[in-house]
Amino acid sequence: MNKRLVVVQVVALFLALAPLLVLPSHATSTVVSIADTFMVTGGTASTHIMIHNVSYLGVADITLTFDPSVVHIVSLTASDFDLLLPVINNTAGTARLGGMDYGDGLYGNVTVAEVTVKAVGDHGELSGLNLSINELKEAGPEEIAIPATVDNGTAFINLPPVAIAATVHRYNNIGSMYPCSVLFSASASYDPDGDAITNYAWDFGDGHSGEGLHVEHGYSSSRWTGTYEPFEVSLTAEDEWGLIDTVFMPVHVFIAGDANGDGVVDIFDGVIVGLEWDTHCTGYGWSTDRSDQADLNNDCVIDIFDGVIVGANWDHLAG
Ligand SMILES: [Ca+2]
Ligand SMILES: [Ca+2]
Ligand SMILES: [Ca+2]
């Protein structure tokens, strides 16, 4: 087989397959979903049964099942359908929803119902919120079925913790010859229903991670793209029942000796160190960003050691 023929065949094959390769980016699939919900003991909370990415929807018949020893359904309201016929059975743990639209059909993301859930079990218990589709069809007389997938949820008798991350040093420098440890604290985090927080997981945004209420990390690189891109640090707090919350915090890392973050170590960095001379950390942090920037070795005081770092790195460039 000559090379030219092979090329022609490969091109023909590509052209034949091209529409298949493009198709998934245009296709939107219909999904029936219910989101997770969180309650205190004896309390109520609401979530929604939704039908996403639909067109010309006329009829939906959906069954929600749940564990009736953990949660009950109080009400099913606020439907986008003209008519919603809900049948709640808190003994069997089922709620059946029949929705009808008399008009030109429903499009886009449709709310089948706002679901109000009441906790009847104990703190820490949970129930699946599982959906099954009995019928989903278009508004026209042809009764064309709409294919759909299901995205189930969970009802928790527990509120997730609230992760709160703090750092003494929002401005930092690459520490190699001059150690520059960044101190992070999760101690302001809390759990709204009083559970113990059993784990604090940190991701420092540079491929390194840590665990604990207080952690320390030194950066060995900065991200220079004409300006410094901060590292995105995340803290994930987990309560004793396994619910989590994650919070993100940007942390700036400059090259050693660069106080003002312009990518070069020069007289302007020396000036900032001079202006902030003898300034100390106040509590857990600095009173101004400039003080934080002038503390080039993160020892919470601006003194001769910061001046030495500027001198030793004179003329260094981030790029
Ligand atoms: Ca909790
Ligand atoms: Ca500079
Ligand atoms: Ca210092």
Side-chain angles (χ1 to χ4, degrees):
M1 192 180 290
N2 70 41
K3 278 184 187 169
R4 191 187 175 91
L5 186 59
V6 170
V7 169
V8 168
Q9 284 181 338
V10 167
V11 168
L13 183 65
F14 177 78
L15 290 175
L17 291 176
L20 298 177
L21 297 174
V22 171
L23 198 60
S25 65
H26 292 289
T28 52
S29 57
T30 298
V31 180
V32 181
S33 76
I34 182 165
D36 291 347
T37 186
F38 306 89
M39 293 154 281
V40 297
T41 310
T44 60
S46 65
T47 180
H48 293 84
I49 298 175
M50 301 288 298
I51 306 175
H52 302 272
N53 297 323
V54 80
S55 66
Y56 200 41
L57 172 66
V59 174
D61 179 358
I62 293 164
T63 300
L64 167 67
T65 57
F66 51 92
D67 182 343
S69 71
V70 177
V71 291
H72 284 175
I73 304 300
V74 177
S75 64
L76 299 159
T77 58
S79 181
D80 286 341
F81 286 99
D82 293 327
L83 179 68
L84 182 76
L85 299 168
V87 180
I88 300 168
N89 186 336
N90 279 321
T91 306
T94 61
R96 188 162 182 176
L97 301 94
M100 269 179 268
D101 183 75
Y102 298 134
D104 301 326
L106 296 167
Y107 291 81
N109 298 329
V110 172
T111 302
V112 181
E114 178 177 337
V115 185
T116 302
V117 185
K118 181 179 170 60
V120 296
D122 295 329
H123 178 69
E125 291 185 329
L126 55 87
S127 166
L129 299 174
N130 297 316
L131 300 170
S132 55
I133 302 167
N134 308 310
E135 199 165 59
L136 203 62
K137 60 189 188 190
E138 291 187 355
E142 298 86 357
E143 304 208 327
I144 296 168
I146 301 171
T149 56
V150 159
D151 184 6
N152 292 320
T154 303
F156 295 89
I157 307 181
N158 181 14
L159 305 180
V162 178
I164 298 176
T167 178
V168 179
H169 313 103
R170 295 198 312 115
Y171 291 91
N172 307 280
N173 299 81
I174 295 172
S176 47
M177 285 174 67
Y178 319 97
C180 187
S181 283
V182 191
L183 303 180
F184 295 97
S185 174
S187 63
S189 306
Y190 63 95
D191 187 88
D193 46 17
D195 293 326
I197 298 181
T198 53
N199 191 45
Y200 297 97
W202 296 87
D203 185 323
F204 301 118
D206 64 346
H208 293 270
S209 57
E211 257 184 36
L213 192 59
H214 303 283
V215 292
E216 200 175 317
H217 180 60
Y219 286 85
S220 58
S221 63
S222 63
R223 279 187 191 148
W224 178 261
T225 57
T227 57
Y228 291 106
E229 301 294 331
F231 289 93
E232 201 75 57
V233 175
S234 73
L235 165 67
T236 300
E238 181 178 348
D239 79 4
E240 59 190 287
W241 302 97
L243 289 186
I244 61 167
D245 182 41
T246 299
V247 68
F248 295 89
M249 172 175 60
V251 171
H252 302 275
V253 180
F254 302 159
I255 58 167
D258 189 4
N260 64 354
D262 65 353
V264 56
V265 181
D266 59 15
I267 187 65
F268 295 107
D269 304 302
V271 167
I272 286 175
V273 170
L275 287 170
E276 295 292 334
W277 199 263
D278 222 16
T279 306
H280 293 251
C281 276
T282 53
Y284 205 82
W286 291 91
S287 53
T288 69
D289 282 352
R290 194 175 73 179
S291 310
D292 190 352
Q293 289 177 294
D295 183 13
L296 292 166
N297 61 353
N298 281 7
D299 67 350
C300 273
V301 58
I302 292 135
D303 60 14
I304 187 65
F305 295 106
D306 303 300
V308 164
I309 291 171
V310 174
N313 291 284
W314 198 265
D315 270 351
H316 286 185
L317 298 169

